[in-house]
Amino acid sequence: MKMVKQVDARGLSCPQPVILTRNAIQAREFPIEVLVDTATSRENVRRMAEKSGFQVHVEEMGDEFKLTITK
Amino acid sequence: MIAAASVCWRRLCFVHAVVQWTAWRRYSKEERITSEQLTRFFASRRGIVLVGVTIGVLAPLLQKLGNPPNMGICVACFERDIAGALGLHRAAIVQYIRPEIIGFVLGSMVAALLFREFKPRVGSAPIVRFVLGMFAMIGALAFLGCPWRALLRLAGGDLNAILGLSGLATGIAIGVQFLKQGYDLGRSYRTYPAVGWIMPAMMISLLLLLIFRPQFNQGGPIFFSQNGPGSLHAPLLISLAVGIIIGFLAQRTRFCTMGAVRDVILMGDTHLISGVGTLLVTAFVTNLLLGQVHVGFAGQPTAHSNHLWNFLGMALAGLAFALAGGCPGRQLFLSGEGDGDAAVFVVGMITGAAFAHNFALAGTPDKVVEGVVQVGGLSTVGMAAVILGLVVCLIIGFSMRETKKETGV
């Protein structure tokens, strides 16, 4: 099974989650899973990834969100 | 002409409202509006522009209703006034418990609760945030305004704001360099619900002090200015309501003046800045209609025309905001949704205001004496404090970086 690249941005405040996700995108190993724990981070990461032309799937897991970014 | 323009503007507003309402009705008929859809709307460009328009109209209106000139809303000045009212500094002309600040926190809290985003969290280097808040305030008071007031000053024709805003952008640009090199204050962690209630409780307490005006000592505190900017204020309930409305909308849209500039520099993202730009334009138009525009550098209300220190003061504030992850308004909204670290930044700012006035670090406004403008500015100690603040912020920026391994990538 292919290893999924994971970015753990839980507890980090803006713009850290976006920067970490962008770094991961630049490494170009898809899919990327991003874990965040605020709605703000979820929106910011989603907006950045969608603007860069990627697909984003958001999954709510209790208090946290898992965003899966694919090409 | 202004009267005609005013009528025209009101008609436009009315037509706009009708169009919006019709669109809204159609929308709600077709599908039930869920909280997720509202969240999407607020996160969209239209959402952030809506906040810009709201602040751009309401802030100049607050000036018309009694707030100081070009100071419809100023987070730094208003927190400074609160520090004064509590007697943490004794500058007699800037003492008032500003309901707008209380409203910001409470409005944000209501929005966060309604949309299930109230999340008590703490632990991301609180003491560093305290220091950043303190120096952010010292920088802002050197210029005499936070980023919000810088925009409102420009919208009122105060050209000194150009120096302030340039300084702000420069400070943020330096902060972005640190971010690019891995600057990070670390993670916050979920904590007990009671922690998230501390800031709203403090605001409720301030509201009670404002309503009942108790005297804790002969003559105060609580202090209320008899003259100067502190004595100028819109009616309590209006100020509070405006604060709550803005707090609510800003929590939903994540409005942030620092973030606006940062996102443009860091990744060319114009989302937040479209809200800030809208604020500036709307406030200018509103000021024109209300006859509140006076273009020039010298003799502007509660402002000085010492260009270098206007620039450097806001550069310090901008850098501190960038390192702390939010402008002073944003820190209030975050503290309303349970962010204990943002609350510490706010307390740091209030403390910074006390230092600024007790140690005479704050800028002195221009004065007109017998028809001659005397340029104000900073005392030598004030200049030293701004330089010290810049040095401290640079040390924080250089020394607090995580290695790649620790960031979780």
Side-chain angles (χ1 to χ4, degrees):
Chain A
M1 200 185 125
K2 205 180 153 196
M3 259 284 278
V4 175
K5 184 153 184 166
Q6 203 172 62
V7 176
D8 182 1
R10 287 173 297 178
L12 294 175
S13 55
C14 272
Q16 244 74 40
V18 175
I19 293 178
L20 294 180
T21 308
R22 209 174 54 153
N23 292 346
I25 286 177
Q26 279 160 1
R28 310 202 70 78
E29 291 167 31
F30 295 94
I32 302 162
E33 278 182 8
V34 185
L35 296 177
V36 296
D37 62 355
T38 64
T40 309
S41 300
R42 177 195 64 193
E43 283 153 28
N44 289 345
V45 170
R46 175 159 68 187
R47 191 166 50 241
M48 185 272 294
E50 283 177 350
K51 235 184 84 182
S52 315
F54 299 100
Q55 303 275 330
V56 182
H57 175 75
V58 183
E59 204 180 318
E60 198 170 340
M61 306 188 305
D63 277 345
E64 298 169 356
F65 305 96
K66 185 168 88 179
L67 290 87
T68 312
I69 300 172
T70 46
K71 270 197 274 195
Chain B
M1 200 202 89
I2 287 180
S6 163
V7 170
C8 199
W9 171 250
R10 262 182 251 151
R11 277 190 196 148
L12 257 177
C13 288
F14 178 70
V15 171
H16 180 73
V18 170
V19 170
Q20 288 282 312
W21 184 68
T22 332
W24 182 259
R25 269 181 54 113
R26 200 173 48 220
Y27 187 49
S28 47
K29 260 186 207 163
E30 276 165 15
E31 46 191 321
R32 218 178 97 246
I33 295 175
T34 62
S35 111
E36 175 61 24
Q37 281 168 323
L38 267 177
T39 300
R40 275 266 178 173
F41 165 77
F42 283 122
S44 71
R45 184 160 315 246
R46 282 195 306 174
I48 195 81
V49 165
L50 172 78
V51 185
V53 172
T54 309
I55 303 173
V57 171
L58 293 180
L61 266 178
L62 282 178
Q63 288 160 214
K64 192 77 189 166
L65 293 170
N67 274 11
N70 293 351
M71 208 193 279
I73 290 169
C74 170
V75 177
C77 317
F78 287 5
E79 287 175 355
R80 181 265 322 270
D81 292 352
I82 290 176
L86 299 177
L88 301 178
H89 70 70
R90 296 295 178 94
I93 57 166
V94 282
Q95 299 174 322
Y96 179 59
I97 296 178
R98 296 276 177 188
E100 290 87 351
I101 299 292
I102 299 170
F104 277 11
V105 175
L106 298 184
S108 159
M109 182 197 75
V110 170
L113 287 172
L114 277 179
F115 288 84
R116 296 189 15 249
E117 287 181 10
F118 187 79
K119 241 176 208 183
R121 52 193 188 274
V122 280
S124 171
I127 189 66
V128 179
R129 292 175 188 274
F130 182 88
V131 171
L132 288 172
M134 240 176 62
F135 281 113
M137 181 61 103
I138 289 172
L141 289 179
F143 163 73
L144 294 171
C146 71
W148 292 44
R149 180 163 193 246
L151 295 165
L152 293 174
R153 278 172 60 171
L154 188 57
D158 179 350
L159 301 179
N160 298 301
I162 296 172
L163 277 300
L165 289 169
S166 315
L168 181 76
T170 308
I172 296 170
I174 297 169
V176 167
Q177 292 313 309
F178 286 125
L179 286 169
K180 280 185 176 166
Q181 289 166 24
Y183 166 83
D184 181 14
L185 285 180
R187 290 171 202 270
S188 64
Y189 296 90
R190 180 122 213 186
T191 181
Y192 310 105
V195 176
W197 291 104
I198 292 178
M199 198 61 177
M202 280 165 70
M203 290 297 147
I204 301 272
S205 313
L206 283 174
L207 186 59
L208 293 174
L209 291 175
L210 173 61
I211 293 170
F212 295 105
R213 301 187 167 220
Q215 295 282 302
F216 290 95
N217 213 333
Q218 221 163 23
I222 305 298
F223 294 108
F224 291 99
S225 296
Q226 297 305 310
N227 45 50
S231 67
L232 301 172
H233 53 84
L236 193 163
L237 282 179
I238 294 178
S239 291
L240 184 65
V242 168
I244 290 175
I245 292 169
I246 294 177
F248 187 98
L249 291 174
Q251 194 281 335
R252 297 315 303 143
T253 56
R254 335 297 183 200
F255 181 84
C256 176
T257 54
M258 184 285 297
V261 179
R262 178 198 63 202
D263 289 355
V264 170
I265 302 175
L266 186 64
M267 46 202 169
D269 180 4
T270 56
H271 175 74
L272 286 174
I273 210 160
S274 54
V276 170
T278 311
L279 189 170
L280 181 62
V281 174
T282 317
F284 178 65
V285 173
T286 314
N287 275 332
L288 272 181
L289 296 176
L290 296 173
Q292 294 180 156
V293 178
H294 310 280
V295 181
F297 279 101
Q300 291 286 347
T302 323
H304 64 76
S305 44
N306 187 326
H307 303 319
L308 176 66
W309 293 98
N310 275 334
F311 180 89
L312 286 177
M314 278 310 251
L316 167 57
L319 176 55
F321 297 145
L323 294 178
C327 77
R330 179 83 184 129
Q331 304 282 355
L332 287 170
F333 309 136
L334 282 170
S335 65
E337 55 174 78
D339 186 336
D341 297 320
V344 171
F345 185 92
V346 172
V347 176
M349 279 190 78
I350 293 174
T351 313
F355 274 112
H357 285 281
N358 288 339
F359 290 16
L361 313 174
T364 316
D366 287 355
K367 269 191 209 117
V368 183
V369 180
E370 291 169 0
V372 184
V373 175
Q374 289 183 349
V375 173
L378 283 194
S379 63
T380 316
V381 208
M383 295 173 190
V386 169
I387 301 288
L388 175 70
L390 284 167
V391 171
V392 170
C393 286
L394 290 176
I395 292 173
I396 289 174
F398 277 116
S399 62
M400 298 179 197
R401 290 188 232 173
E402 291 212 5
T403 61
K404 219 169 181 183
K405 203 178 157 199
E406 287 166 308
T407 55
V409 177

